Amino acid sequence: MAISLSEYLLTKGREYAPFDPNRAYLIYQKLSLYIDLSRVKKIHIIGTNGKGSTGRYLALMLRNEGCKILHFTSPHIFDFKERFYKNDSIILTKDLEEAHIFLQTFDFINACSYFEYMTFLALILAKDVDYLIMEAGLGGEFDSTSVLEYDLDIFTHISLDHQDMLGEDLEQIAKTKLAAMGKNAILSINQDDSIYALATKIANQKNSHLMILKTNDMTDEIKRLTIDLPDFLSQNAFSAIMAFKWFLNKIPSQLPKLNLLGRMQKITPNIYLDVGHNVGAAKAIKQALQKEGIVEIVLIYNSYEDKNIKEILQILSSIIRHVEILKLEHPRVIAFPKLCTILDSLNLKYKEFSCLEDGVKYLVFGSFSVVETFMKKHKDLESGINNG
């Protein structure tokens, strides 16, 4: 009898195993004989920032049209099941376990990494939907989500992140992501000029139909739908709206409320949550806060060591009153003294996080783990995260 999914994933170790560009493709070649996704319209979401919200906006809009959908996203905050959103809710444990049991009937599946196994779980769960929205994990071209042929690729904002795996500069990172381009693609607005040039070049090489979105493509109707959103969420919603139009040849009548945790989420009048963890996210969050008229916040923060911590904090420094370091239990987290050294170099005041104070504006930011740890410490705020 197969062990439970949670027990099985513990045997897989880290989410991203040692890189093997062929492993997922070879496994899928065998698995595809037993699943039929030929009638499912497939969308691939690739980029550095905004993948989760872009995919979820599209999923919710399609669902409002009566379509059956599966949105695969990562990572999760509280529960592994969050990665699989089917139709109107996070997947049921029963359905996830059934997909796991099915996969365990194949000996070859055990070669999967943690993330690859999740990818194949999503494919099993999608066999009865109309639309499958798959969010890439790292990169694009060799990501396990790239084993499928997609009807449409959506490239969200591309910036620096995961340089240890994807390349040291923006061009290298962009090449890895854009190389996943299929027959039809959308490139979101607000990209570096070099991204537009590279995307056009790759589209020409692959004979792909590439729709490069521009600010003036935002009609009054689209602006009306997105007017109350922070700029970065408005841009992500715009990409989703254009993908919706590509499939259904119309603009949605309304923009559904985003039900994804920690995307510039105001859970109380004075507490914002965001799972951002890179330079692009820091710029977007600063702009969003300033748009709301906030000139000073207390930053509840921590980070994984491989992030551009100094540059992220430097971007936010002009609106930081002081930093409160939230201790994390995670093998990748930066050592406390090392983070203190960075904060000292930026002349930012800091202390270890202990409690919230009334009347203070807080931003909880730095990683999915920061949001998770903060919310577990403050379960009394759960109504805000569920309804925010």
Side-chain angles (χ1 to χ4, degrees):
M1 181 177 177
I3 62 174
S4 70
L5 176 60
S6 58
E7 291 174 310
Y8 182 75
L9 291 176
L10 287 175
T11 71
K12 292 296 173 183
R14 293 189 308 157
E15 180 150 349
Y16 298 102
F19 181 62
D20 180 345
N22 298 313
R23 182 173 54 225
Y25 286 88
L26 293 173
I27 293 169
Y28 180 66
Q29 281 179 359
K30 299 174 183 176
L31 184 63
S32 62
L33 300 174
Y34 304 93
I35 53 174
D36 182 10
L37 297 176
S38 59
R39 296 184 181 181
V40 179
K41 294 180 176 66
K42 295 173 276 292
I43 302 107
H44 204 191
I45 314 284
I46 309 161
T48 308
N49 296 307
K51 297 190 295 293
S53 56
T54 301
R56 184 57 57 85
Y57 273 129
L58 179 56
L60 293 171
M61 288 188 287
L62 290 168
R63 185 60 182 159
N64 280 353
E65 295 293 315
C67 303
K68 292 182 287 185
I69 57 95
L70 179 73
H71 178 209
F72 171 67
T73 185
S74 63
H76 63 273
I77 295 179
F78 298 120
D79 192 312
F80 178 80
K81 297 196 300 291
E82 293 169 24
R83 298 174 186 243
F84 308 90
Y85 185 85
K86 189 169 185 179
N87 295 333
D88 299 306
S89 62
I90 291 168
I91 199 74
L92 297 173
T93 300
K94 170 181 69 69
D95 295 337
L96 197 54
E97 288 294 339
E98 286 176 1
H100 165 61
I101 289 168
F102 177 77
L103 285 180
Q104 287 300 300
T105 62
F106 307 106
D107 288 341
F108 60 78
I109 204 69
N110 293 316
C112 282
S113 70
Y114 183 106
F115 188 80
E116 289 162 357
Y117 196 74
M118 287 191 301
T119 300
F120 296 130
L121 283 171
L123 304 192
I124 303 304
L125 293 166
K127 62 184 184 298
D128 60 347
V129 302
D130 302 310
Y131 290 87
L132 170 61
I133 302 167
M134 295 289 285
E135 178 187 316
L138 287 177
E141 183 178 16
F142 299 116
D143 192 82
S144 60
T145 57
S146 295
V147 299
L148 296 176
E149 289 188 14
Y150 289 93
D151 296 275
L152 180 66
D153 302 306
I154 303 174
F155 292 98
T156 64
H157 185 253
I158 298 172
S159 62
L160 293 173
D161 200 8
H162 298 292
Q163 288 99 312
D164 56 325
M165 295 184 180
L166 303 180
E168 283 301 316
D169 58 42
L170 184 59
E171 184 176 358
Q172 286 179 304
I173 291 171
K175 277 182 179 178
T176 302
K177 295 179 185 292
L178 292 166
M181 191 183 300
K183 54 190 176 183
N184 300 293
I186 290 174
L187 180 64
S188 73
I189 61 174
N190 196 30
Q191 305 280 359
D192 186 271
D193 287 344
S194 64
I195 304 296
Y196 293 115
L198 184 58
T200 301
K201 179 181 178 181
I202 290 173
N204 290 335
Q205 291 171 344
K206 293 192 163 197
N207 197 27
S208 302
H209 178 261
L210 174 64
M211 183 193 308
I212 297 177
L213 300 184
K214 299 180 176 63
T215 304
N216 57 14
D217 294 328
M218 293 188 76
T219 62
D220 290 342
E221 188 177 8
I222 294 173
K223 288 177 182 176
R224 176 182 60 79
L225 292 174
T226 62
I227 192 168
D228 293 329
L229 298 176
D231 287 349
F232 73 97
L233 280 181
S234 175
Q235 292 161 11
N236 298 339
F238 177 35
S239 296
I241 289 167
M242 297 307 286
F244 177 93
K245 183 181 179 183
W246 191 87
F247 282 106
L248 299 183
N249 198 31
K250 64 178 181 178
I251 298 295
S253 58
Q254 62 181 6
L255 186 68
K257 185 177 180 181
L258 188 65
N259 60 358
L260 204 58
L261 304 181
R263 272 63 175 188
M264 191 52 186
Q265 188 170 18
K266 192 174 184 178
I267 60 167
T268 72
N270 66 317
I271 301 174
Y272 295 83
L273 298 181
D274 195 275
V275 295
H277 48 264
N278 54 45
V279 169
K283 290 177 180 177
I285 289 298
K286 181 178 179 179
Q287 183 184 51
L289 290 169
Q290 290 177 326
K291 187 176 180 180
E292 289 202 20
I294 296 172
V295 296
E296 186 179 72
I297 52 98
V298 171
L299 178 64
I300 298 176
Y301 181 78
N302 211 325
S303 176
Y304 299 150
E305 187 165 15
D306 60 347
K307 304 303 176 185
N308 295 328
I309 296 170
K310 186 170 184 177
E311 189 174 355
I312 288 166
L313 291 170
Q314 199 159 30
I315 289 165
L316 295 171
S317 61
S318 64
I319 61 168
I320 293 175
R321 174 174 154 186
H322 66 264
V323 177
E324 300 199 3
I325 302 170
L326 183 68
K327 287 216 167 174
L328 300 181
E329 297 296 328
H330 195 286
R332 288 170 55 201
V333 72
I334 186 170
F336 187 81
K338 193 170 181 180
L339 177 56
C340 293
T341 298
I342 294 172
L343 290 163
D344 286 332
S345 73
L346 295 170
N347 294 316
L348 286 170
K349 297 177 182 178
Y350 60 89
K351 63 180 180 178
E352 188 175 334
F353 174 74
S354 58
C355 63
L356 297 167
E357 297 179 20
D358 293 335
V360 176
K361 297 282 187 184
Y362 290 97
L363 170 63
V364 183
F365 177 78
S367 74
F368 280 77
S369 295
V370 167
V371 171
E372 176 190 13
T373 302
F374 176 82
M375 288 308 303
K376 284 180 176 177
K377 283 178 176 288
H378 293 279
K379 293 185 179 295
D380 56 311
L381 301 176
E382 282 185 0
S383 60
I385 200 165
N386 290 330
N387 302 314

